[in-house]
């Protein structure tokens, strides 16, 4: 399991229709906060049930700082590997805690 902290820059819902049925996935893009660089990462939640579990107790919106626990899903297609960052858990930071952390000078 991996962890990352950052600010949500976009949230997109994507509906997928296949012969096996209709599916939904949510794409959450964040700008990493702790690296000192503006690394942007996109994470995925696949399936309505998992999306409902993540969103049940929290409303995600752009501009929020979040801590994300995720795992990397990898698959091979025609000799190339493709990776997806799959969300396991999202925790929204309290803005007062974040502001207190940002105001502490380096020691």
């Amino acid at each position: 399991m991996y962890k990352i902290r950052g600010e949500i820059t976009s949230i997109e819902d994507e509906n997928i229709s296949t012969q096996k049925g209709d599916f939904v996935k949510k794409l959450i893009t964040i700008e990493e906060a702790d690296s000192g660089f503006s690394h942007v990462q996109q994470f995925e939640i696949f399936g309505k049930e998992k999306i409902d579990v993540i969103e049940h107790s929290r409303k995600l919106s752009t501009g929020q700082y979040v801590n994300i626990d995720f795992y990397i899903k990898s698959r091979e297609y025609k000799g190339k590997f493709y990776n997806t960052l799959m969300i396991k858990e999202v925790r929204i930071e309290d803005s007062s805690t974040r502001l207190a952390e940002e105001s502490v000078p380096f020691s």
Side-chain angles (χ1 to χ4, degrees):
M1 189 74 52
Y2 300 92
K3 298 177 186 291
I4 193 168
R5 177 180 174 266
E7 179 181 2
I8 297 176
T9 58
S10 77
I11 300 173
E12 304 170 34
D13 291 324
E14 187 174 314
N15 296 310
I16 304 164
S17 295
T18 68
Q19 292 177 348
K20 294 182 180 181
D22 295 333
F23 303 95
V24 63
K25 70 178 174 179
K26 184 173 285 291
L27 302 170
I28 299 173
T29 306
I30 69 163
E31 184 172 339
E32 193 174 356
D34 296 332
S35 69
F37 301 97
S38 59
H39 293 146
V40 176
Q41 308 290 338
Q42 188 171 68
F43 298 86
E44 180 178 305
I45 308 170
F46 187 81
K48 181 162 176 32
E49 296 81 22
K50 290 181 183 178
I51 291 170
D52 289 345
V53 167
I54 294 289
E55 291 189 332
H56 181 269
S57 63
R58 59 196 70 81
K59 273 294 187 197
L60 300 175
S61 62
T62 58
Q64 290 177 322
Y65 278 81
V66 291
N67 290 290
I68 296 177
D69 296 344
F70 67 98
Y71 60 94
I72 301 170
K73 180 179 173 183
S74 183
R75 62 198 165 285
E76 183 266 340
Y77 179 71
K78 295 185 177 181
K80 292 188 177 187
F81 282 87
Y82 298 88
N83 298 312
T84 305
L85 305 176
M86 303 294 293
I87 290 179
K88 180 73 174 168
E89 180 65 38
V90 177
R91 291 175 306 285
I92 299 170
E93 286 188 5
D94 180 12
S95 61
S96 63
T97 304
R98 182 175 47 80
L99 290 174
E101 287 177 2
E102 290 175 357
S103 65
V104 175
F106 293 107
S107 34

